[in-house]
Amino acid sequence: MKSKVINFIARPIVKLFYNENNNYGIYKIKLTDEEYMHIENIAEKEAIEALEEDFNNDCYYAIICGSMQSLDLYTNYKFECSVKYNKKYSNYQFFVYKATLNVPKTITEQEDFLKVLVTENQAKNLLAVYPDIVEKIINGGEDIDLDKIPGIGESTFGKIKTKIIDNYIISDLLSTLAPLGITYNQIKKISTLSTNPVLLKQQLNKNPYILTQVNGLGFKKVDGIALKINSKLKISKLRSLEFIKYVLEDMADSIGHTWVEKIDIIERARKNIPECLNIIKEIIDTNDFDNSIFYIEGDKIGLMRNYKIEKNIYQDLNRINNSEFNFEPISEDELNNIILNLEQKQGFVYSEEQKDIIKKSNNKSNNVIIVSGSAGSGKSTVLKGILSVISSMKCIEKNEDEIFHTQPCISQCSLSAKAAIRMQETTGRPASTIHRLLVFQKNGFAYNRNCKLMDDVIIVDELSMNNISICNSLFQAVKNGCKLILVFDHAQLPPIGAGAVAYDLLEYSNFIKVKFTEIHRQAKSSGILVDANSVRVQKNPIKKLEQKIIHGELRDMRYVFSTNRNEMRKYAVKQFFNALNKYGIDDVSIITPRKNTVVNSALEVNKIIQDKYLPLNKTEEMKMGNKSFRIGDKVIHRKNNSDQNVFNGEIGYVFNIDYEIDKNNNKIKTLYVKYKDFIGLEDYKIVKYSSLEEFNQLELGYTLTTHSMQGSQAKAIIILLDNTHYNLLDNTMLYTAITRAEKHCMLIAEPGAFKRCILVNKTVIRQTFLKRFFKKELIA
């Protein structure tokens, strides 16, 4: 028989365990004699047996556990829970459903609550302006003006708000949603969907599918929750519309399509929610939906937001291309001299195809230039030529007293930090990430459609990594009269997310463009480049399979084949340390397709290298959640964080673990990471990690996935492939991995996995609105 739900007030006195990762806690709590009597009257017999009596103090103790916010010790909470028997400890415990503080209403009650978080003066200042501050925050707090409160800044107010939300809003949602399988962290995210908790609960009852807005809650899980909340939704228009939206979002995220055929929606519905099939057919046939969400053109359907983004990209590129460059072209003699001087410095002659694209950059119109090429085809040398020509162009300006000449202001950028660093090293000019160029902030980019970049020339490297969202943000911020040079390798992996901007521009646009495919003479001695290009066209570079093979005049491409996955991993780690001794930690990397869950994943290999490279008996470690980092660890930052001035893909090194004192004199253990500040005033920047949220933005960086290494290079690359990576194995993935190596590449693979990479090309030609815009232009 299921235990009753018991309500009582108690004070946590000992925190026995608390996991911030999943918010599971175990506390020893103290009940008064009055509360004990209350429980004795209503609870099942085992509830009393769960208590331990303290005759001297007229109070009782119990163990309480479950998902809950971190509780303050010696503070009264109202608990809703049931009794469960713990076999491991052979005793009864309270299992919590909800833990809430009584909402403080009087000035004295609120001051006592606030003094836990701020000083007594700050608490009084706050209450003098807003005597009902707790209730105000619970109800949204939209009209609170911090400028009116002396001594209370955004950071301090943020702590107060978080505490109130945890104890009065999240705990309320927890009792409703936790039994439905939603985690505490997800509930915290759900609480941000509305500033008014009462309204949020009403919205959830009316349309549970708003939960899909929370990261980690996809349609399938939310659909199950929705049907538990309201079984009448099983055959409904609301569920049908949410399913259509889910299919379109899933196709965009997993395949990259921004539109699909209507029949694809119907087939997915037939397999997943057949009870709504007729409703979905009717919706699609009659266009019976909100036009702000979906876009339909004939038999094609997509999300309106993707349609608008791709339309913006199309219009902005044409705007940039058709505007007049502000600088005067140089003479033909100057142009030829620049090319000749570069050829003499480089020691080789440009091909006619390369000269042609360099010369085409010398004009005042046609300002969008696309340079694409496979590994070793000469993209970098052509880019140097284009930059040399544009740098020589001048703008004649006049004022009252004199005539003077100005040169173009040139910016270089790419999606990843490592690619930007490599770009800077190749061209000798400053480079940055796209996010830094546009100045990424919490509420978006500082440079946008209404505030344009001032640059006269913008070069975007590794464009093929960029999905429609980042391309839209960049192109809309480019001013008229700017030259936009887009560079990429057309054979690499497509972007993560919706769209195929680079591919569509190369194949369908009318802009100035070139597609280099021939490997130049100076690159043919490299086994890395020759074999990579064989893989690109699905040609096996190995004539006869042997255990160990070396290719290239430079002996820079090596193969090792095995069927023992553990031995493969062991050998990869051995080769990592051999290369490390030669090139240093910054220029060696292992690449594997899978991030986790298998033997030869980045997660597993990273742990082995960490233990071998930095033994615990020789360095200090900091653990938080399920992660640990040691002083000296190579790490990669995984999220754009404008507050800390660090962006996705930046590689750094842990150099210290120490305690930092916060404003309330609390000691907070902090991890310090040093990153190369490649466009800043200093050589390095220091980023601090002290909270679980910040900690989760870090991963070990010795071994990375192929996608994570895209846009980066290292002198020595070790690639680890086996059949547990099966779904990710194809020629584009392997080509991308091999071309990350500058001097030496070793491929350690199962023969079957390598063969699959050669035979399989899973690249799907993405269905995009941008392609359709360009096709209509070509037809016209």
Side-chain angles (χ1 to χ4, degrees), residues 465-494:
M465 294 176 65
N466 299 340
N467 59 33
I468 58 172
S469 179
I470 191 66
C471 283
N472 181 46
S473 296
L474 176 60
F475 298 159
Q476 70 178 354
V478 177
K479 70 177 184 179
N480 289 344
C482 174
K483 275 200 182 294
L484 181 63
I485 303 167
L486 308 173
V487 186
F488 58 96
D489 182 340
H490 54 267
Q492 284 190 24
L493 289 166

Side-chain angles (χ1 to χ4, degrees), residues 256 324 368 402 407 475 507 539:
E324 186 173 286
V368 175
E402 60 181 335
Q407 290 182 310
F475 298 159
E507 297 298 326
K539 180 181 176 183

Side-chain angles (χ1 to χ4, degrees), residues 671-690:
L671 189 82
Y672 296 86
V673 179
K674 183 183 288 187
Y675 294 94
K676 186 174 181 180
D677 191 10
F678 57 95
I679 68 158
L681 299 176
E682 305 294 334
D683 289 337
Y684 294 95
K685 61 185 177 186
I686 307 301
V687 178
K688 297 180 290 187
Y689 299 81
S690 53

Side-chain angles (χ1 to χ4, degrees), residues 112-135:
D112 289 340
F113 171 80
L114 292 170
K115 281 192 292 187
V116 177
L117 302 166
V118 296
T119 66
E120 187 172 347
N121 281 337
Q122 286 175 317
K124 286 180 177 178
N125 289 342
L126 187 57
L127 290 166
V129 181
Y130 296 110
D132 56 347
I133 186 64
V134 174
E135 285 195 0

